[in-house]
Amino acid sequence: MDKIIELKNVSFVYDTQEEQKPALRNVSLDVRRGEFLAVIGHNGSGKSTLAKLLNAILLPTEGQVLVEGMDTADEDLVYEIRRRVGMVFQNPDNQIVATIVEDDVAFGPENLGVPPAEIRQRVDDALRAVGMYEFRGAEPHKLSGGQKQRVAVAGVIAMRTDCIIFDESTAMIDPKGRREVLETAKRLCREMGITVVMITHFMEEAVQADRVVVLDSGRVAAEGVPSEVFADSALLRRTGLELPFAAKLAGKIRTAGVPLPDGLLTPDSVADALFAAAQEAEVI
Ligand code: ADP
Ligand code: MG
């Protein structure tokens, strides 16, 4: 298995934390190249701290974070690490620095010292990849939340990073924008081979990942494919997480007496199972 990021026994304590309660405790975790990894956990479980450790915004208090084998604690490597791992934050309004969309997307590669002709190409490619090319001349403040986040994603893509971390990047935008950002992230992963770490509190997003990591009080409480993680109701209760809506609905339908199989996590799978049950019962 090819690891793009490796955390080895990582703990992190904020200097300002009063009782020195660690935000992360002894976390060991790999991010696999090309995967779509979801990280879930209740508020304060350490998700944003983890995100910031992945591209050297924060450095571990104990343990080690390796990005393509490079130790994030090595100051000389920070630039190389940031070229490989980019971050999209929660608030779309805090990430836009320019007054025209294409200038904003160019900002990252300009800082990397990419030659102007290549920047032009990268900006166009990146805006096409997120479906925002037609807005290249627009003023960012006139865009919707989802569109702004896609511009922020384009800014990361234009730096040609291998991995993009989304730190609850869909939390502050409307449902349509949320779908746009999620679909964009999935497409970048499937079609461009970009590794995606999607930190989210929407379980509907987590079920679409290849793998899910559950954080609880700064520790990794569980890790597995979505069908495993969401089948563990005791884990979900313990860590304060909800089932995805479709899974709750499937549970209600079962309780009402319709025999549906276990492990239904998406609206499509519930619809298919309900159709099969109706056929079986010769209702339709
Ligand atoms: P999440 O993103 O899952 O909500 P965070 O990583 O933001 O969790 O926070 C983990 C813990 O660290 C929480 O207890 C939080 O209060 C604390 N924390 C987060 N940021 C800071 C900070 N800048 N200074 C002090 N404590 C912080
Ligand atoms: Mg957070």
Side-chain angles (χ1 to χ4, degrees):
M1 178 191 66
D2 187 9
K3 305 165 188 171
I4 185 163
I5 306 177
E6 200 176 350
L7 283 86
K8 293 183 181 174
N9 306 108
V10 170
S11 295
F12 184 85
V13 185
Y14 286 95
D15 287 340
T16 48
Q17 266 173 330
E18 282 162 21
E19 8 148 16
Q20 299 283 297
K21 189 172 78 66
L24 288 180
R25 303 160 197 249
N26 201 26
V27 170
S28 292
L29 185 68
D30 297 329
V31 179
R32 303 171 187 168
R33 191 180 303 279
E35 76 172 333
F36 194 114
L37 176 68
V39 178
I40 58 178
H42 57 77
N43 272 344
S45 58
K47 303 182 298 297
S48 293
T49 306
L50 175 71
K52 290 175 186 152
L53 284 159
L54 300 181
N55 78 341
I57 297 175
L58 296 176
L59 300 176
T61 311
E62 276 172 49
Q64 220 182 12
V65 179
L66 301 175
V67 174
E68 302 203 345
M70 297 180 289
D71 192 329
T72 59
D74 185 340
E75 274 176 44
D76 295 335
L77 296 175
V78 169
Y79 176 87
E80 287 299 318
I81 287 165
R82 301 253 170 92
R83 265 188 36 189
R84 286 169 175 80
V85 182
M87 182 102 74
V88 180
F89 294 96
Q90 188 174 79
N91 188 339
D93 294 315
N94 292 348
Q95 300 180 69
I96 304 220
V97 292
T99 51
I100 300 288
V101 163
E102 59 188 356
D103 294 347
D104 193 77
V105 177
F107 186 76
E110 272 165 8
N111 278 338
L112 293 179
V114 176
E118 193 187 331
I119 291 180
R120 176 79 265 150
Q121 189 61 47
R122 284 192 186 198
V123 168
D124 288 354
D125 290 349
L127 283 169
R128 284 196 184 95
V130 301
M132 288 296 289
Y133 183 69
E134 63 193 287
F135 293 93
R136 63 193 177 283
E139 296 171 43
H141 71 269
K142 292 192 176 153
L143 302 175
S144 71
Q147 289 171 327
K148 284 181 200 165
Q149 284 300 53
R150 285 190 285 153
V151 171
V153 175
V156 177
I157 296 173
M159 295 197 284
R160 304 263 159 102
T161 62
D162 304 321
C163 176
I164 306 183
I165 322 283
F166 293 81
D167 186 6
E168 302 213 36
S169 309
T170 59
M172 297 178 75
I173 54 184
D174 59 48
K176 178 166 174 284
R178 202 179 301 152
R179 269 195 305 278
E180 290 169 5
V181 173
L182 182 67
E183 290 308 317
T184 302
K186 276 164 57 181
R187 202 154 29 75
L188 297 178
C189 183
R190 307 293 179 231
E191 292 172 15
M192 294 170 71
I194 295 175
T195 306
V196 170
V197 178
M198 178 65 78
I199 296 172
T200 184
H201 67 252
F202 295 107
M203 300 304 124
E204 283 67 24
E205 295 181 356
V207 299
Q208 300 187 41
D210 297 321
R211 208 157 60 95
V212 180
V213 166
V214 181
L215 286 185
D216 183 42
S217 306
R219 296 180 206 275
V220 175
E223 182 260 300
V225 296
S227 56
E228 287 167 4
V229 169
F230 289 107
D232 189 343
S233 49
L235 166 80
L236 298 178
R237 249 195 317 279
R238 198 168 65 240
T239 55
L241 293 171
E242 297 231 344
L243 273 175
F245 175 74
K248 281 191 218 163
L249 181 62
K252 296 279 183 203
I253 296 172
R254 266 182 224 111
T255 308
V258 182
L260 296 183
D262 289 334
L264 301 175
L265 297 176
T266 62
D268 284 351
S269 65
V270 175
D272 289 347
L274 205 47
F275 181 75
Q279 267 188 328
E280 183 72 19
E282 298 182 0
V283 183
I284 50 173

